[in-house]
Amino acid sequence: MIRKVPIPTAGVMLGLAALGNLLAPYSLILKYACGISATFLGLLLFSKVILHPNMVKNDLNGNSIFASVFATFFMAIMQLSTYTFPFIPFISECIWYGAIIGHFILMTWFTYRYIINFDLREVFPTYFIAYVGIIVASVTAPTFNQHHLGEYIFWFGFIAYMLLFLLVTIRYCSKHTIAEPAKPLFCIYTAPMSLSLTGYLACAADKSLVMIIVMQILAQLLFIAVLTQMPKLLRLKFYPSYAAFTFPFVITAIALRQTVIYLNQINIAVPQFLNYLVIVETILATAIVLYVFIRYLKFLHEQMIVNMGTRAKSVFSAITNIVK
């Protein structure tokens, strides 16, 4: 089964870790249930890295989607380190720094492997993950009292987003077709702006109200664009790329909630419908993450059964040969 764990499993891991933080104000039990589930998936993927490094290496070298999606592994670790910080602060902080370094190393390698050898056909919204995903460090930085570092990382990721948005949009408007397994990746479009806004709210020393409002409006418009495609995307058969449904929905809800909190803090009257919208987006994010998590567990279970069946056939064949 470990051999069959797909790289995008890290995306579901990230979605669960982020969902736990989204649900934390409502229930610590739900938060840690999400954290444990995310850790379980992370251990499966980490086992594959350790036990089958050549398979992982081939995946990363042969596919820009897998290579960029692998950054979600480091993003998830940044999130999970905030779970353990109250219990083991020093170790958690070391892990957090290690995840940031790991993300930058992957980013550097990805640039060398796929940007220098540029091919528009290999460009997907997963490119946002490789470069803009580092803003998760900004979102989690306050836990480790690293606001300045978080703000620097935010501006790096946000500038990268401005550049990549144009590139990815050109790719989607080009004549190059998108294979069915890659179609769910469109959902990632809604994540970078919401992630950027969340990172900005978490770390920026001098916040611009205009910038916050503009970013939030754009984030919601991108979210609506993704929602219009969801009925069609959910009708596709299961692919590991279903992981793209998870984190984007969660971070959109988090960004909206944090915006409402900030507006209340600076004594700006917040329309009541925004509070209801936060609840709706939270419920929607929870439902889609649980749906994808269940589909992934089913997929892994099926792979395990197939693997057991193959081994059983091999054993039966060996016994038959011996008897003959």
Side-chain angles (χ1 to χ4, degrees):
M1 184 180 71
I2 296 299
R3 292 172 60 90
K4 297 293 185 178
V5 175
I7 296 295
T9 301
V12 186
M13 174 189 174
L14 172 62
L16 285 164
L19 180 63
N21 287 325
L22 174 63
L23 298 178
Y26 307 103
S27 170
L28 286 179
I29 293 176
L30 291 177
K31 172 184 176 178
Y32 286 107
C34 290
I36 291 170
S37 300
T39 302
F40 166 70
L41 293 182
L43 289 174
L44 287 179
L45 186 57
F46 184 69
S47 298
K48 181 173 182 177
V49 172
I50 297 300
L51 298 176
H52 307 288
N54 287 333
M55 290 185 67
V56 175
K57 181 180 178 181
N58 291 336
D59 285 342
L60 300 186
N61 275 310
N63 191 309
S64 67
I65 294 176
F66 286 162
S68 48
V69 165
F70 193 68
T72 55
F73 181 70
F74 299 112
M75 295 163 65
I77 292 175
M78 292 179 214
Q79 294 267 359
L80 291 175
S81 63
T82 64
Y83 283 64
T84 57
F85 182 76
F87 312 106
I88 44 173
F90 177 73
I91 295 175
S92 298
E93 188 167 2
C94 290
I95 293 173
W96 183 73
Y97 278 115
I100 294 174
I101 293 170
H103 195 131
F104 271 112
I105 291 173
L106 177 65
M107 192 187 304
T108 303
W109 173 83
F110 185 86
T111 302
Y112 173 77
R113 177 67 179 82
Y114 291 102
I115 300 298
I116 293 178
N117 302 306
F118 180 76
D119 184 350
L120 188 61
R121 292 172 299 181
E122 289 290 323
V123 174
F124 291 95
T126 55
Y127 274 46
F128 294 137
I129 300 173
Y131 295 95
V132 190
I134 193 63
I135 297 180
V136 169
S138 304
V139 175
T140 54
T143 300
F144 306 98
N145 196 28
Q146 292 294 335
H147 293 78
H148 292 304
L149 175 61
E151 187 170 1
Y152 295 144
I153 290 176
F154 158 74
W155 285 112
F156 171 86
F158 189 64
I159 292 171
Y161 174 45
M162 294 297 98
L163 298 174
L164 284 172
F165 185 83
L166 179 62
L167 176 63
V168 175
T169 302
I170 290 174
R171 163 65 171 88
Y172 269 76
C173 293
S174 70
K175 62 181 180 180
H176 301 301
T177 58
I178 297 174
E180 185 174 289
K183 288 182 177 179
L185 301 179
F186 179 77
C187 292
I188 298 173
Y189 250 105
T190 190
M193 184 60 78
S194 293
L195 177 58
S196 298
L197 176 55
T198 307
Y200 182 74
L201 288 168
C203 290
D206 298 314
K207 298 179 179 65
S208 166
L209 180 60
V210 173
M211 183 172 177
I212 291 170
I213 292 175
V214 169
M215 290 175 72
Q216 184 56 252
I217 291 173
L218 292 175
Q220 291 299 310
L221 289 176
L222 289 167
F223 185 52
I224 292 171
V226 166
L227 286 178
T228 61
Q229 300 300 310
M230 283 301 292
K232 180 170 58 177
L233 295 175
L234 287 171
R235 286 196 293 270
L236 298 174
K237 70 176 185 178
F238 176 80
Y239 295 103
S241 56
Y242 262 43
F245 296 155
T246 58
F247 182 70
F249 280 72
V250 176
I251 197 61
T252 300
I254 290 176
L256 181 59
R257 184 180 69 189
Q258 295 307 106
T259 300
V260 171
I261 291 173
Y262 176 74
L263 294 177
N264 284 323
Q265 288 174 345
I266 61 175
N267 298 317
I268 290 182
V270 177
Q272 186 61 32
F273 84 90
L274 287 181
N275 293 308
Y276 293 131
L277 187 59
V278 170
I279 295 173
V280 170
E281 290 190 6
T282 298
I283 294 172
L284 182 60
T286 302
I288 195 68
V289 171
L290 289 178
Y291 170 72
V292 174
F293 181 49
I294 291 171
R295 293 297 300 268
Y296 255 80
L297 291 179
K298 184 182 179 212
F299 169 76
L300 294 173
H301 180 254
E302 290 171 351
Q303 295 302 316
M304 184 174 64
I305 291 176
V306 170
N307 185 58
M308 291 175 63
T310 302
R311 287 178 177 272
K313 289 179 181 178
S314 298
V315 171
F316 179 77
S317 177
I319 293 174
T320 302
N321 292 332
I322 292 173
V323 171
K324 290 181 178 180

